[in-house]
Amino acid sequence: MTTTPRTSGDVLALAPVMPVVVLHDAEAAVPLARALVAGGLPGIEVTLRTPAALDAIERIAAEVPEAAVGAGTVVTPDQAEAAAEAGARFLVSPGCTATLADAMAGTGLPFLPGVSTVSEALALLERGVTELKFFPAEAAGGAGFLKSLTGPLPQVRFCPTGGITPASAPSYLALPNVGCVGGSWLTPADAVAAGDWDRITGLAREAAAL
């Protein structure tokens, strides 16, 4: 079975939590992805913060078809294009400019551009983009900020990411304008380094139940 989101709305609907993964060794990519999928989290955002990231995305796309692997921390048009070529099924950016929005749209992939202000959200709404990443969520106002947007911007839905924990995630997921949350707690660096995939599956299972 292949999990391929066709729209940005599909990306938000994959699971209540989107694992945000930083991989320093592409060899860990496939077992990590399988561990997350086994725990009920098929959507996986691999951040383009390391030299191994594109290789990791390529491996997951080729060997774990039941996962929907996306590229996160997309900050340049070149990265958007490279991620698409590597097999990413969606793109996520921490912020957005007109140039970057054009580039992400140009790949044909679903994308979640990052915003942290109302004006940034309005700029993307003018383009017809209604699914956004809210980053850095906790530092930029948290669940209270997103709740305040349900009135003026009822058509927008978010994936808040940044500083969210298993304890704070439910307050976000209870909001009508939140489709899922991004979480880095699902793949602790020590568990990845040790290859403790059972621990990661357990964390994924707990997150999938939120």
Side-chain angles (χ1 to χ4, degrees):
M1 183 185 105
T2 301
T3 305
T4 302
R6 304 199 178 281
T7 68
S8 300
D10 291 345
V11 175
L12 293 182
L14 286 166
V17 179
M18 175 78 69
V20 178
V21 179
V22 180
L23 280 170
H24 297 278
D25 181 3
E27 292 293 331
V30 167
L32 174 68
R34 287 177 175 152
L36 290 167
V37 170
L41 301 181
I44 303 167
E45 176 189 331
V46 176
T47 68
L48 301 184
R49 298 180 192 179
T50 67
L54 288 171
D55 189 10
I57 289 169
E58 193 167 353
R59 294 186 190 206
I60 294 170
E63 299 181 47
V64 194
E66 61 272 32
V69 62
T73 319
V74 176
V75 296
T76 68
D78 287 348
Q79 285 182 325
E81 189 175 323
E85 289 176 358
R89 299 198 176 122
F90 62 92
L91 306 173
V92 185
S93 66
C96 202
T97 64
T99 301
L100 184 58
D102 287 342
M104 291 194 291
T107 66
L109 295 173
F111 63 98
L112 300 175
V115 301
S116 62
T117 70
V118 177
S119 294
E120 290 167 355
L122 288 176
L124 286 155
L125 268 179
E126 288 178 356
R127 293 171 164 265
V129 179
T130 56
E131 286 83 24
L132 309 174
K133 172 175 176 166
F134 175 51
F135 177 84
E138 286 289 290
F145 178 81
L146 288 182
K147 184 177 181 180
S148 72
L149 297 188
T150 56
L153 302 178
Q155 68 275 57
V156 182
R157 296 179 74 233
F158 295 92
C159 172
T161 305
I164 298 175
T165 67
S168 63
S171 65
Y172 287 94
L173 293 170
L175 298 174
N177 58 347
V178 170
C180 65
V181 301
S184 57
W185 78 84
L186 297 150
T187 53
D190 59 338
V192 175
D196 190 352
W197 311 126
D198 287 344
R199 179 181 167 198
I200 288 172
T201 295
L203 290 169
R205 194 169 287 126
E206 291 170 6
L210 287 173

